[in-house]
Amino acid sequence: MDGPAVPTETTSSELRSFAAQFVSSPRGARLARRLAVRRMGEWGYPPASDTSCTVALVVGELAANAVQHGRVPGRDFALRLTLDAAANLFRVEVTDAASAKRLPTFPPSSCPEGESGRGLFLVDVLAVRWGTTPRRPGGKTVWAEVPSGRAEAWCATEDLVEVPGAVGRGDGPDAGLWADQWTARE
């Protein structure tokens, strides 16, 4: 099979969710990204909007990692995209069948001259939080939370103040080593 397996959607006034399975291949990762952009458009976020582009990039990176590093022959990967309108937040979850021993590192490391290895760094920069959750009996879910863009205050630079020595981004044991040194005013 080379397409999504029975996409599902859940909707309520505050929470919308889309889920589908894809073949663990580059084509499956590309299809996951395209369907996420289509769903974003259906939810009121045009494909060229900053929010849609950001979610597409996060979906693309997590799906590509599932295909490249989490592939188990004969097993698909799954995408779940959830919009929490009350929190102005999208949650992207990509689940693969690879052993939990192959969890992404915190913080992501990359060789500056390398041709790859920057995907999770980009996710870390674009998401307000990201992490992994083991899946039973095997596999893992890598998730990221992206602001919906409807709450403009989260990124307005005039609402930010520098915090010397600030760290903190994500949930991992070394979370925050990639964080910039800015935080929202309270």
Side-chain angles (χ1 to χ4, degrees):
M1 184 168 106
D2 208 24
V6 192
T8 60
E9 181 174 1
T10 305
T11 57
S12 73
S13 62
E14 296 293 319
L15 192 65
R16 294 181 177 183
S17 182
F18 167 77
Q21 282 189 270
F22 301 90
V23 172
S24 190
S25 69
R27 185 174 184 182
R30 192 169 47 251
L31 184 58
R33 186 187 76 242
R34 287 181 177 172
L35 285 179
V37 170
R38 179 179 292 167
R39 188 57 46 138
M40 296 282 296
E42 292 170 5
W43 290 346
Y45 297 85
S49 70
D50 288 344
T51 301
S52 185
C53 290
T54 300
V55 169
L57 181 60
V58 170
V59 168
E61 291 299 336
L62 296 184
N65 282 352
V67 168
Q68 185 174 8
H69 305 292
R71 185 175 183 274
V72 172
R75 303 288 302 272
D76 295 339
F77 74 90
L79 166 69
R80 176 175 301 279
L81 179 62
T82 305
L83 167 60
D84 183 344
N88 293 310
L89 201 66
F90 281 96
R91 184 174 174 102
V92 176
E93 299 176 2
V94 175
T95 302
D96 62 47
S99 167
K101 295 177 191 172
R102 298 173 68 182
L103 295 176
T105 60
F106 292 94
S109 60
S110 173
C111 176
E113 292 83 30
E115 293 182 16
S116 64
R118 292 177 185 84
L120 287 179
F121 177 75
L122 291 173
V123 170
D124 188 64
V125 169
L126 296 171
V128 291
R129 293 185 330 141
W130 71 277
T132 61
T133 305
R135 191 179 70 138
R136 302 281 184 247
K140 66 186 168 303
T141 298
V142 181
W143 56 268
E145 295 177 346
V146 177
S148 72
R150 299 281 162 100
E152 299 300 328
W154 77 268
C155 66
T157 56
E158 60 273 2
D159 290 335
L160 299 177
V161 293
E162 187 169 1
V163 177
V167 293
R169 191 176 190 98
D171 292 328
D174 297 322
L177 297 179
W178 292 97
D180 52 19
Q181 295 184 334
W182 299 90
T183 188
R185 288 187 183 149
E186 298 189 29

